[in-house]
Amino acid sequence: MNDISEILRALLDQYARTSEVEHEFTSMMNNDPQLKEDYDLWCEEMGYDVRTGYQDFIDEQMRDRDEFWETLDE
């Protein structure tokens, strides 16, 4: 089983913009039926909607990163 959270975090580390992460992840799912199946299960387990789950997760990760840097600046 693919670790969707880890895949999305790795893509966030690799790409500068969230739109690039979304594009790459969508492309990966289109090319890998097992990844898509794992993603659907991940959404169910995490309480995300399948249509927006990866976007919601990315947004949460970005907020967490922003909060981390804001805390360090204080």
Side-chain angles (χ1 to χ4, degrees):
M1 180 172 177
N2 292 292
D3 185 340
I4 303 301
S5 298
E6 189 57 38
I7 291 170
L8 290 170
R9 283 188 199 104
L11 290 172
L12 275 171
D13 290 342
Q14 184 177 359
Y15 294 101
R17 296 185 311 212
T18 57
S19 61
E20 293 172 316
V21 174
E22 293 171 15
H23 175 76
E24 182 63 24
F25 187 66
T26 301
S27 177
M28 290 169 65
M29 284 195 300
N30 289 337
N31 294 321
D32 184 347
Q34 182 61 52
L35 179 62
K36 173 67 172 121
E37 188 176 313
D38 292 345
Y39 170 73
D40 291 348
L41 180 59
W42 177 82
C43 284
E44 183 179 318
E45 291 174 352
M46 300 293 285
Y48 292 120
D49 182 276
V50 174
R51 283 182 256 148
T52 61
Y54 64 90
Q55 294 168 336
D56 295 339
F57 182 81
I58 290 168
D59 290 344
E60 289 172 9
Q61 292 297 302
M62 295 305 292
R63 275 193 305 273
D64 289 349
R65 288 180 183 192
D66 288 345
E67 288 174 8
F68 172 80
W69 289 111
E70 288 172 8
T71 301
L72 282 179
D73 287 341
E74 295 175 356

